[in-house]
Amino acid sequence: MDWNLLACARHHLTYSPDEPELRDHLCVPTVEGPAWRCLRCGNYVPGPPRAAGPADEAPVPLRGQLLRDAVVLRALAVERLVRGVLLLLGAYAVWRFRGERLAVQAEFDQDLPLLQPLADRLHWNLADSPLVHLVRTALATRPQTLTLIAAALACYGLLQLTEATGLWLLRRWGEYLTAVATAIFIPLEVYELVERVTWVRVTALVINIAAVVFLVYRKRLFGVHGGRAAYDAERHHASLLQLARAATAP
C-alpha cells in the first residue's frame, strides 16, 4: 500500500509560497485553471492551494514509515479518548452514587426480598450472589472513600484525554507522556490478570504493552534506537520546496 496516496485520498497538501520563483515551480496552468503540485505525492491538483505563505513556513508532509506511524498514533489517541470518556463517566456515576447512597440503600433493602421467590425457582443463592455482595460492599463504603474513588477516576480520565490530545497532534510530549503513564499501570494490570483472567483485561494488557514497545522503539524515546538525533534525521527529508529552491539557486 502506498501510504502517501492513502493520505492524499483525503486531501492533497498543496501550498503557494510567497517567493515567485518557487511558486512557478509548484504551479502550472491548465484548461481548468491553475494546478498546484502536492507536496506529499507530487501530483498536480487543479484548484486553489490549501495554504500560502513564506516557503520556510510550508508544512512538511509525512511520508512512508512516518505516515504509517502517524496512523498508529492516532489510532492510539482514539483508544485513549474512549477510555478517558468512560473513566469520566464512571467518576460522575460514583459521585452521584455518593450523594444518593442512602436512597439507593433503602430501595435495595426494600426490593431485594421481592427477588427471593424468583431466585428460589431458579435455584439461585441470592444471599451469596457476587452481584449482591458487590452492591452491599458499595453501600457500606464511606462517603469519604467514594469521594476519593471519584477523584481518582476523574484524574485518570483527564490523563487519558491529555494523552489522546498529544498523540492526535503528533506531539513529542504526548509520546513521552503516553509511554510513561502506560508503563506505570502495566504491573497493576498484570496483578489484576493474575487475580482473574478476562478477555477485556487480556486485550487491555496486550494493547498497552504493544503501545509502550512501539513508542519507545519506533519513536526513539529515552535515547533508544538512536534517540532524538535519529528521530530528527528521520523526519528531515528533501521536500518539493527544497528541491525547487535548489533548482532556482544560482
Side-chain angles (χ1 to χ4, degrees):
M1 177 186 296
D2 190 336
W3 288 82
N4 300 326
L5 296 181
L6 179 63
C8 287
R10 293 172 48 246
H11 63 78
H12 288 280
L13 189 60
T14 54
Y15 187 81
S16 174
D18 293 341
E19 297 80 355
E21 66 279 4
L22 298 179
R23 187 166 57 248
D24 292 341
H25 275 76
L26 297 177
C27 182
V28 296
T30 68
V31 294
E32 298 181 359
W36 294 87
R37 195 173 188 186
C38 176
L39 299 181
R40 182 186 294 114
C41 67
N43 292 326
Y44 285 95
V45 183
R50 290 184 59 87
D56 293 338
E57 298 179 5
V60 179
L62 299 176
R63 296 195 183 99
Q65 182 64 49
L66 292 177
L67 190 57
R68 291 192 290 272
D69 291 349
V71 173
V72 174
L73 290 176
R74 285 180 170 165
L76 285 174
V78 172
E79 187 266 340
R80 292 299 191 268
L81 174 63
V82 172
R83 186 184 298 186
V85 171
L86 292 178
L87 286 169
L88 291 179
L89 290 176
Y92 176 74
V94 172
W95 181 260
R96 287 293 304 271
F97 173 76
R98 173 189 176 277
E100 304 292 336
R101 188 171 61 90
L102 295 179
V104 173
Q105 184 168 6
E107 291 291 335
F108 177 77
D109 294 338
Q110 177 181 343
D111 295 341
L112 184 61
L114 300 179
L115 295 176
Q116 190 61 53
L118 178 61
D120 293 339
R121 297 179 68 88
L122 297 176
H123 304 288
W124 177 27
N125 189 350
L126 190 61
D128 295 333
S129 170
L131 178 60
V132 173
H133 177 70
L134 177 63
V135 174
R136 291 189 185 279
T137 302
L139 291 172
T141 304
R142 296 188 305 169
Q144 296 85 347
T145 303
L146 294 175
T147 301
L148 292 176
I149 294 175
L153 290 174
C155 290
Y156 191 28
L158 292 175
L159 175 63
Q160 296 292 298
L161 295 182
T162 304
E163 292 179 26
T165 301
L167 292 174
W168 185 265
L169 297 177
L170 307 179
R171 295 291 187 263
R172 189 75 168 167
W173 63 262
E175 298 168 0
Y176 271 104
L177 177 62
T178 303
V180 173
T182 304
I184 289 176
F185 286 100
I186 285 179
L188 178 60
E189 294 179 347
V190 172
Y191 173 78
E192 290 179 344
L193 196 59
V194 171
E195 291 291 318
R196 182 185 177 189
V197 177
T198 65
W199 68 269
V200 175
R201 293 178 177 179
V202 172
T203 302
L205 179 62
V206 170
I207 290 176
N208 287 335
I209 292 177
V212 172
V213 173
F214 170 81
L215 289 170
V216 172
Y217 182 80
R218 182 68 196 98
K219 306 309 294 181
R220 309 173 192 272
L221 304 181
F222 309 106
V224 175
H225 199 202
R228 184 58 186 260
Y231 173 83
D232 292 337
E234 184 181 34
R235 290 179 62 87
H236 179 74
H237 54 268
S239 67
L240 291 177
L241 277 174
Q242 291 173 332
L243 297 176
R245 182 180 282 119
T248 57

